[in-house]
Amino acid sequence: MECGFQEVLNTPGSHTNCSAYGELFIEASHDATTLFGMSNQTHITEFIFLGFSNHSSLRGFFFLIFLAIYLTTLLGNTLIMLATRISPALHTPMYYFLSNLSFLDICYTSTTIPVMLVNFFREKKTISYEGCLSQIFFFVTCAGTEGVLLAAMAYDRYVAICRPLQYPVLMSVKVCVCLVTGSWLCGLVNSVTHTTLTATLTLCGPNQISHFLCDIPLLLKLSCSDTSVNESVLHVASATIGLSPCLFTAGSYVLIISAILRIPSAQGRKKAFSTCASHLTVVVVFFGTANFNYDRPREGYSLDMDILVSVLFCVVTPMLNPIIYSLRNKEVKGVLRKLIKKHDFSSEINN
């Protein structure tokens, strides 16, 4: 409501009326702000992680555990990459995909564990707003890329077992490069979309995240602006980047297992299944922990349970991949043994 300039000059007591109207307007604005939950709106420059805050006395123990997991992940995946690079016997499409998966797992864990390790010894476990968005970008990129890459690896196993005579043509070098490039592009497009939409949110206080990492659903809870577009895109991405590779992989293995069961000899069935057992195990671990992490109901679970599930998905799974492949694959085990013996021999010569 507005008092005109002429009314102020000509109406007796008009100054008092305008003041009264102004006070009423301020009170109404304050009530509306409180009603819609905007009173705590702030410009957030950093976030505080609350993950592991209930176990501050065990931070030294947690630091050692996660440091060991991180070093094991780096060592195991680096050895897989070296083995597939230097051994001519491993210059095949399956191991080309495996080498890319190992590189992806190194990037995957490096987006979360280093920040976590530093925060174990900080009184205030913080991450900047820009750092949080960067973590979301790399984390979503790696997670989306890995799901699509595992589907590409399932296609490779399908062609190898169900269409072996056409394998050299269907899985040529050009096709393999296109599949890996396409996996990364899917992950990048998905991540750029989510990160851009997240950056447009208006975030409100408090600036506390009940976790040890930044993730999109956690930031949506802190938003005081409309998140319907973000949530819709999340559902679409869950169906395309999450569910579709999972269903494609499951369908591939239905055909693979059917083909293996039609092999007449037990030795032939065992040999065929051994070529895809490692990948099948990795697929079950990755998609199983991913679905349990994101698709389970949030009600009824404590913060500790949320942390445990996320640790299994974000931290433990990348460590298990090289272990699974090295334990269940004779070719990889043989190359790794040669690498270790060669290193020991070189050390003896130098000494």
Side-chain angles (χ1 to χ4, degrees), residues 28-138:
S29 299
H30 176 74
D31 292 341
T33 302
T34 304
L35 176 64
F36 291 103
M38 301 287 286
S39 58
N40 291 328
Q41 183 173 341
T42 57
H43 178 63
I44 293 178
T45 58
E46 66 177 13
F47 298 96
I48 300 174
F49 290 130
L50 300 181
F52 301 104
S53 58
N54 296 333
H55 307 283
S56 56
S57 60
L58 297 174
R59 62 184 182 180
F61 173 74
F62 285 140
F63 175 82
L64 293 176
I65 291 295
F66 285 109
L67 179 62
I69 290 174
Y70 186 50
L71 294 177
T72 302
T73 303
L74 292 179
L75 178 62
N77 284 292
T78 301
L79 285 175
I80 293 289
M81 291 169 63
L82 286 174
T84 55
R85 186 174 182 83
I86 67 175
S87 174
L90 301 183
H91 291 174
T92 63
M94 182 175 74
Y95 296 108
Y96 173 70
F97 290 127
L98 178 57
S99 178
N100 279 276
L101 180 65
S102 295
F103 174 73
L104 188 58
D105 283 334
I106 291 175
C107 298
Y108 197 21
T109 53
S110 296
T111 62
T112 56
I113 297 185
V115 176
M116 190 195 314
L117 293 175
V118 171
N119 280 334
F120 276 130
F121 291 100
R122 296 173 67 180
E123 200 65 35
K124 192 177 181 183
K125 300 170 175 54
T126 61
I127 186 172
S128 67
Y129 175 79
E130 293 79 10
C132 186
L133 288 180
S134 298
Q135 191 177 65
I136 287 175
F137 172 77
F138 289 110

Side-chain angles (χ1 to χ4, degrees), residues 266-317:
Q267 187 66 27
R269 289 194 297 270
K270 182 179 179 181
K271 184 178 180 181
F273 186 74
S274 66
T275 62
C276 58
S278 299
H279 176 254
L280 181 59
T281 306
V282 169
V283 164
V284 171
V285 171
F286 176 80
F287 285 113
T289 54
N291 289 330
F292 191 61
N293 187 46
Y294 288 106
D295 297 332
R296 65 189 172 90
R298 296 292 172 179
E299 292 76 16
Y301 288 92
S302 64
L303 174 60
D304 289 340
M305 178 57 72
D306 288 337
I307 296 295
L308 176 61
V309 173
S310 294
V311 165
L312 290 175
F313 175 59
C314 307
V315 178
V316 177
T317 300

Side-chain angles (χ1 to χ4, degrees), residues 127-304:
I127 186 172
S128 67
Y129 175 79
E130 293 79 10
C132 186
L133 288 180
S134 298
Q135 191 177 65
I136 287 175
F137 172 77
F138 289 110
F139 179 76
V140 174
T141 297
C142 293
T145 302
E146 182 154 346
V148 180
L149 183 61
L150 288 174
M153 295 174 74
Y155 173 72
D156 170 70
R157 293 298 83 208
Y158 162 77
V159 175
I161 293 174
C162 300
R163 305 175 71 176
L165 297 179
Q166 296 175 293
Y167 186 79
V169 177
L170 295 177
M171 295 307 297
S172 63
V173 174
K174 183 178 180 180
V175 171
C176 293
V177 171
C178 288
L179 287 173
V180 171
T181 304
S183 300
W184 278 101
L185 284 176
C186 287
L188 282 170
V189 171
N190 180 51
S191 182
V192 168
T193 303
H194 286 305
T195 307
T196 302
L197 288 174
T198 304
T200 62
L201 293 175
T202 302
L203 303 178
C204 305
N207 60 336
Q208 297 175 339
I209 297 178
S210 299
H211 221 292
F212 63 85
L213 56 82
C214 288
D215 204 359
I216 297 169
L218 300 173
L219 291 192
L220 292 182
K221 292 180 180 179
L222 302 179
S223 174
C224 48
S225 56
D226 183 26
T227 60
S228 58
V229 175
N230 301 68
E231 292 171 2
S232 298
V233 173
L234 273 177
H235 291 311
V236 172
S238 178
T240 54
I241 302 296
L243 183 61
S244 296
C246 183
L247 293 178
F248 179 86
T249 304
S252 298
Y253 270 102
V254 168
L255 298 175
I256 289 170
I257 293 172
S258 299
I260 290 175
L261 293 177
R262 289 196 298 268
I263 297 175
S265 67
Q267 187 66 27
R269 289 194 297 270
K270 182 179 179 181
K271 184 178 180 181
F273 186 74
S274 66
T275 62
C276 58
S278 299
H279 176 254
L280 181 59
T281 306
V282 169
V283 164
V284 171
V285 171
F286 176 80
F287 285 113
T289 54
N291 289 330
F292 191 61
N293 187 46
Y294 288 106
D295 297 332
R296 65 189 172 90
R298 296 292 172 179
E299 292 76 16
Y301 288 92
S302 64
L303 174 60
D304 289 340

Side-chain angles (χ1 to χ4, degrees), residues 338-349 351:
K338 290 179 182 178
L339 275 175
I340 295 171
K341 288 180 181 179
K342 185 177 180 180
H343 176 73
D344 291 340
F345 180 72
S346 300
S347 300
E348 290 178 3
I349 292 176
N351 292 334

